[in-house]
């Protein structure tokens, strides 16, 4: 039915030239279609492709080979079992200060819009399906796949090679570990790993073991601080978790964002 409507002109289409701010930098062989808006200070690198009905905000970076606004993968079988294409007539809206990685695809919505909010950072080789909503300040790392209709909250971290089932909701501040297969909703602030996903094991540790791990982290911070004081003769006053992350100390575990997620889980079990 949707295909018939499209073929017979019942969907209103615009054919305006793209609206590109004069400060926008467009690389060689990049393609920008009609009905596209690109805001001030955005950079579109060589060979990027931006299809119709896409709005991109200010100071964004669209890396080489990214494809934004093409139709998603949607098929329904007819009476003979033959897959028939389901048309997509929505658009894509990208906020300010967003990065879209190389070879990343952002599909247009079937209806309405696929949305990427302000300050989202998307790595290379990521697939964002139709009608996905990515909340502000979230970080999406390489080779992640968002099926259609996924909703991601704000300040979420998605590790590499994560697959997320259609219509799943991930709450604000959640952390999804390496290679997780997410089949159900993830609560705000939750740390999940595995296939299928489950709460991270350390979040279910005994109170005694959690206390031990927290003491080890405090020891790592203290040890690093003492070493710095010995070298420089001065004492600095920084966030202890930041100090732990930057120290590279053997007890600092992964010395990255996982430490913060770990300590949040510890605090939740106190």
């Amino acid at each position: 039915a949707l295909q018939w409507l499209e073929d017979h002109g019942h969907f209103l289409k615009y054919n305006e030239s793209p609206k590109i701010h004069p400060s926008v930098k467009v690389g060689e062989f990049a393609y920008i279609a009609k009905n596209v808006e690109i805001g001030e200070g955005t950079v579109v690198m060589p060979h990027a492709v931006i299809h119709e009905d896409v709005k991109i905000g200010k100071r964004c970076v669209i890396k080489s080979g990214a494809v934004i606004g093409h139709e998603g993968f949607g098929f329904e079988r007819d009476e003979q079992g033959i897959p028939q294409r389901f048309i997509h007539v929505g658009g894509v809206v990208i906020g300010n200060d967003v990065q879209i990685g190389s070879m990343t695809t952002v599909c247009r919505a079937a209806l309405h819009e696929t949305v990427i909010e302000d300050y989202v950072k998307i790595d290379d080789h990521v697939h964002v399906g139709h009608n996905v909503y990515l909340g502000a300040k979230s970080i999406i790392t390489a080779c992640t796949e968002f099926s259609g209709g996924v909703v991601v909250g704000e300040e979420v971290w998605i590790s590499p090679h994560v697959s997320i089932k259609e219509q799943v909701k991930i709450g604000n501040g959640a952390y999804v570990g390496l290679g997780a297969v997410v089949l159900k909703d993830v609560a705000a602030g939750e740390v999940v790993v595995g296939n299928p996903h489950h709460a991270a094991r350390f979040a279910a540790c005994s109170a005694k073991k959690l206390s031990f791990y927290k003491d080890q982290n405090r020891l790592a911070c203290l040890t690093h601080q003492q070493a710095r004081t010995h070298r420089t003769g001065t004492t600095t006053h920084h966030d202890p978790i930041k100090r732990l992350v930057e120290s590279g100390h053997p007890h600092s575990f992964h010395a990255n964002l996982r430490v913060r997620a770990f300590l949040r889980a510890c605090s939740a079990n106190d």
Side-chain angles (χ1 to χ4, degrees):
L2 285 174
Q3 185 63 62
W4 185 90
L5 288 171
E6 184 182 49
D7 292 343
H8 290 77
H10 291 278
F11 288 116
L12 183 63
K13 291 184 177 293
Y14 298 94
N15 289 300
E16 297 180 0
S17 298
K19 298 177 181 178
I20 302 174
H21 192 275
S23 64
V24 171
K25 297 180 180 178
V26 180
E28 191 175 14
F29 301 115
Y31 171 78
I32 300 174
K34 296 179 180 179
N35 306 326
V36 170
E37 296 181 19
I38 304 178
E40 178 183 354
T42 288
V43 176
V44 180
M45 293 187 178
H47 296 280
V49 177
I50 303 173
H51 288 277
E52 294 84 358
D53 306 313
V54 174
K55 295 181 181 179
I56 300 174
K58 301 176 181 179
R59 300 176 301 276
C60 294
V61 176
I62 312 300
K63 295 177 67 178
S64 296
V67 179
I68 302 173
H70 209 293
E71 288 190 345
F73 186 83
F75 291 87
E76 294 291 338
R77 295 185 185 276
D78 62 17
E79 294 82 357
Q80 289 76 41
I82 299 172
Q84 300 292 334
R85 183 175 68 90
F86 184 90
I87 66 170
H88 295 70
V89 296
V92 176
V93 176
I94 297 174
N96 300 324
D97 300 286
V98 171
Q99 176 170 308
I100 307 294
S102 293
M103 311 307 293
T104 286
T105 53
V106 181
C107 296
R108 69 169 54 243
L111 299 169
H112 304 297
E113 295 166 337
T114 299
V115 177
I116 301 175
E117 288 194 341
D118 296 348
Y119 303 106
V120 171
K121 309 301 180 184
I122 302 179
D123 199 356
D124 301 341
H125 298 277
V126 171
H127 176 74
V128 180
H130 63 85
N131 294 92
V132 167
Y133 190 102
L134 300 181
K137 306 176 197 174
S138 291
I139 295 179
I140 316 299
T141 59
C143 301
T144 288
E145 182 273 330
F146 296 93
S147 299
V150 169
V151 176
V152 176
E154 296 184 0
E155 298 186 47
V156 172
W157 177 283
I158 307 292
S159 299
H161 294 276
V162 169
S163 296
I164 305 175
K165 184 177 182 290
E166 65 272 11
Q167 307 300 324
V168 161
K169 295 179 175 59
I170 299 177
N172 295 340
Y175 181 98
V176 182
L178 179 69
V181 177
V182 182
L183 303 178
K184 297 180 180 180
D185 292 354
V186 177
E190 189 173 9
V191 181
V192 297
V193 296
N195 179 9
H197 84 274
H198 55 273
R201 186 176 300 171
F202 58 73
C205 289
S206 67
K208 182 177 179 180
K209 188 172 291 186
L210 287 169
S211 177
F212 169 77
Y213 286 143
K214 291 172 74 176
D215 287 343
Q216 291 299 304
N217 278 280
R218 293 191 185 103
L219 176 62
C221 292
L222 179 60
T223 301
H224 176 63
Q225 182 60 52
Q226 288 173 337
R228 179 180 292 181
T229 302
H230 177 73
R231 290 195 307 270
T232 64
T234 59
T235 301
T236 55
H237 300 279
H238 295 296
D239 173 10
I241 299 178
K242 180 179 179 182
R243 191 160 65 244
L244 172 65
V245 170
E246 294 175 346
S247 69
H249 191 278
H251 290 144
S252 67
F253 297 96
H254 300 292
N256 59 23
L257 194 68
R258 294 190 182 97
V259 176
R260 292 182 181 273
F262 180 87
L263 294 182
R264 282 201 301 269
C266 290
S267 298
N269 283 270
D270 282 345

